Amino acid sequence: MQLLMYFFTAFILFNGVVQNGFGIQYVKAPQKVLVPIFSMLLSSVTGWIIVKYLLNPLGFGVFGVFILFPLSVVCSILVAKIALLFCKDKNLNQFEPALNSGFYGIAFYGAFQTVIFAQTAIQAILFALGSTAGFVSVIAILRGIQKRSEVEAVPKFFKGQPLLLISTGLISLIFTELLPMVIHIFAR
């Protein structure tokens, strides 16, 4: 039961899209979302391992988190390069939205939250999986809102990014109210 609470807490609380708006560009290109998913997982788990077993014993303490952003960038580039190996056309431009504008922020945010809150390897893995699942679910919800706005009568000044930002704010409010309920359910 405790493990489910870790997963759902990360799902709601560690969501970079809802908290910071990272990765909102993937709503327009959801087929490219696999690269940030694997970047989040890789940077979260490797960041936790490096901080927990290398930097903390050396006495870095809280300053060990400063290594996370460069680590997240390296993990993200590594995942993008590996993804190129499996693509039919070897063109880095297909990951162009992924390599700028919040892509590194997604991986960094997941790694930062995992390093700060996880005490054990199981918690680190559950936090990484939960934040990744939360990221995917918010992208799916925002994609549905965007598709529906193309069909429905939406004022011209709300179409596109303004509607996505308003929707992200509303999802953030929902998640903020949902977290205490999740903790109450699983803390029994």
Side-chain angles (χ1 to χ4, degrees), residues 15-176:
N15 200 317
V17 178
V18 172
Q19 299 293 329
N20 298 322
F22 293 138
I24 203 165
Q25 72 270 17
Y26 292 105
V27 173
K28 295 179 181 174
Q31 67 276 12
K32 297 179 183 179
V33 81
L34 284 177
V35 174
I37 287 172
F38 287 114
S39 296
M40 286 174 71
L41 291 172
L42 182 66
S43 65
S44 293
V45 174
T46 57
W48 183 83
I49 290 170
I50 288 172
V51 169
K52 178 77 173 177
Y53 293 110
L54 182 67
L55 298 179
N56 282 349
L58 293 175
F60 279 89
V62 75
F63 295 110
V65 298
F66 289 116
I67 197 76
L68 288 179
F69 187 75
L71 177 72
S72 300
V73 170
V74 169
C75 288
S76 300
I77 292 172
L78 178 70
V79 169
K81 295 287 185 183
I82 291 171
L84 279 176
L85 295 175
F86 295 105
C87 291
K88 293 177 185 172
D89 56 343
K90 306 290 183 195
N91 186 6
L92 192 59
N93 291 336
Q94 69 184 3
F95 296 116
E96 193 60 35
L99 293 177
N100 59 24
S101 169
F103 176 63
Y104 302 127
I106 296 167
F108 169 71
Y109 190 75
F112 180 76
Q113 297 296 337
T114 301
V115 165
I116 293 296
F117 292 107
Q119 299 297 318
T120 64
I122 297 292
Q123 286 178 348
I125 291 168
L126 287 173
F127 285 157
L129 289 173
S131 62
T132 304
F135 170 73
V136 170
S137 68
V138 170
I139 292 296
I141 291 168
L142 291 175
R143 180 67 178 168
I145 291 170
Q146 183 192 32
K147 284 291 192 184
R148 182 132 184 208
S149 73
E150 293 171 359
V151 178
E152 300 288 330
V154 175
K156 190 167 116 177
F157 53 85
F158 276 135
K159 287 200 181 242
Q161 286 293 106
L163 182 64
L164 289 178
L165 291 174
I166 292 169
S167 301
T168 303
L170 293 173
I171 292 170
S172 175
L173 288 173
I174 292 168
F175 276 20
T176 302

